[in-house]
Amino acid sequence: MKTIFTEIRLGVRPFELVHATDTHFSYGDARDGEKKIRHAEGRAEVFGAQQELWATYAEATARARKAPIVHTGDLIDFVSLANLERAQRFFAENNVALVTAGNHEFAIYVGDGEKEDAAYRARSLALVQSYYPNDLRFCAREMGGVNLVGIDDGYYRFEPWQLERLKAETAKGLPILLFLHNPLYAPEFHRELMRTRECSFLTGVPDELTKAYPASRLEQQKADEATLQTVEYIRSCPQIRAIFAGHLHLDAEVMLTDTLPQYVTDMGSARIIQIR
Ligand SMILES: [Fe+2]
């Protein structure tokens, strides 16, 4: 477990947020059947059964700093009533300013070969959403003169309506901190990730680079027109001052442009965002 301090200078009265991500709660019980119980046991082990420790660490950090939590998804590892109730308890017991969806929020079973697309997400979206405190696919809230905006890009894509909503938020004129599950493409970051992976797991990777991916990864991660447009908009929008993401299960700081930093936070880390 690790605490990271990240200062963001916006010219506002100082306040803090605690960024947590990828908690991957992995519970299942008889209400979802035997198969889900076995799935839960296997999935808990994938992450060394650390999930409660990570959650507790983020919670304790947030309480000590008197700061709300911002969570960028994969709070649950897969859809089950036990997981959704655990998520609900996380929201009830903490001051959670905002939560976005990760790819796992809508996974019925992880790694079952189902293609993760809009139709797949639609199978569980209403149920999952009913346990979460804000719109999982797009939400915005003002805090201390800062607009906190969360967008679901967990399937490596933005949709045109999300870009329109983002434009409406920027029109308000406040500085924006953007919260995503999947980090956005940056050339050097992509190259570094590709050294040890078959793909970079970033949103908005240009076609000339994704064409080197294995076919299933290409289909999963190929950026469509709306996605590339949204990433370009984010990169060039002066109101968007920093991006916070997860998904990769590592800590990183990457400059997307000369002025726009992207902070990726690991599953066991609590990133204290010091806004000034
Ligand atoms: Fe994750």
Side-chain angles (χ1 to χ4, degrees):
M1 256 92 55
K2 194 163 151 192
T3 299
I4 304 164
F5 289 87
T6 298
E7 189 181 61
I8 305 288
R9 291 182 176 271
L10 302 176
V12 297
R13 230 174 79 190
F15 68 98
E16 293 183 345
L17 299 167
V18 172
H19 179 215
T21 191
D22 296 81
T23 311
H24 286 272
F25 284 130
S26 297
Y27 296 106
D29 60 30
R31 290 173 295 172
D32 284 295
E34 265 307 309
K35 184 181 171 189
K36 196 76 90 173
I37 293 174
R38 287 197 306 278
H39 190 63
E41 288 165 0
R43 290 297 302 170
E45 284 309 314
V46 169
F47 300 117
Q50 299 283 294
Q51 289 89 341
E52 288 297 336
L53 288 176
W54 296 329
T56 303
Y57 188 67
E59 291 170 340
T61 304
R63 272 192 209 110
R65 307 295 300 192
K66 296 185 171 51
I69 293 173
V70 278
H71 197 290
T72 49
D74 289 1
L75 177 62
I76 60 170
D77 190 61
F78 52 86
V79 179
S80 70
L81 290 173
N83 267 341
L84 291 170
E85 287 172 2
R86 181 64 188 86
Q88 199 168 49
R89 186 154 72 77
F90 180 80
F91 302 128
E93 292 176 349
N94 298 285
N95 180 4
V96 178
L98 176 150
V99 57
T100 67
N103 50 311
H104 283 259
E105 252 70 31
F106 310 114
I108 313 286
Y109 291 94
V110 180
D112 61 358
E114 294 257 19
K115 195 171 132 193
E116 293 188 326
D117 58 11
Y120 182 72
R121 180 173 54 228
R123 284 164 58 184
S124 59
L125 177 58
L127 174 71
V128 175
Q129 182 64 72
S130 71
Y131 285 83
Y132 279 61
N134 61 250
D135 188 332
L136 275 168
R137 306 222 52 228
F138 190 103
C139 71
R141 61 173 298 182
E142 192 199 324
M143 190 176 284
V146 181
N147 197 353
L148 311 179
V149 177
I151 312 180
D152 171 22
D153 71 336
Y155 288 176
Y156 302 94
R157 278 174 200 114
F158 293 106
E159 294 173 36
W161 68 268
Q162 290 174 314
L163 176 55
E164 289 317 305
R165 293 274 303 272
L166 178 59
K167 286 180 178 172
E169 290 305 322
T170 61
K172 294 177 180 171
L174 293 173
I176 289 174
L177 298 183
L178 188 59
F179 297 89
L180 307 171
H181 184 66
N182 296 2
L184 302 185
Y185 167 78
E188 180 52 36
F189 193 32
H190 173 83
R191 273 194 294 277
E192 192 186 311
L193 292 164
M194 289 296 285
R195 280 190 205 124
T196 51
R197 295 166 174 78
E198 60 182 5
C199 58
S200 69
F201 299 98
L202 300 173
T203 294
V205 179
D207 281 354
E208 63 267 26
L209 296 172
T210 48
K211 72 183 181 200
Y213 285 10
S216 62
R217 293 301 188 187
L218 174 64
E219 187 186 17
Q220 179 189 50
Q221 298 180 29
K222 184 178 162 50
D224 61 13
E225 201 42 49
T227 301
L228 292 170
Q229 264 180 33
T230 306
V231 173
E232 196 39 52
Y233 181 78
I234 292 168
R235 288 168 55 89
S236 61
C237 177
Q239 283 96 334
I240 300 175
R241 306 291 291 273
I243 299 169
F244 297 87
H247 188 50
L248 299 176
H249 303 174
L250 52 80
D251 296 309
E253 297 186 19
V254 181
M255 292 306 289
L256 280 194
T257 68
D258 288 346
T259 53
L260 180 60
Q262 171 169 259
Y263 301 93
V264 183
T265 302
D266 198 352
M267 50 208 323
S269 298
R271 184 183 294 277
I272 298 170
I273 306 171
Q274 301 182 295
I275 298 157
R276 306 199 184 296

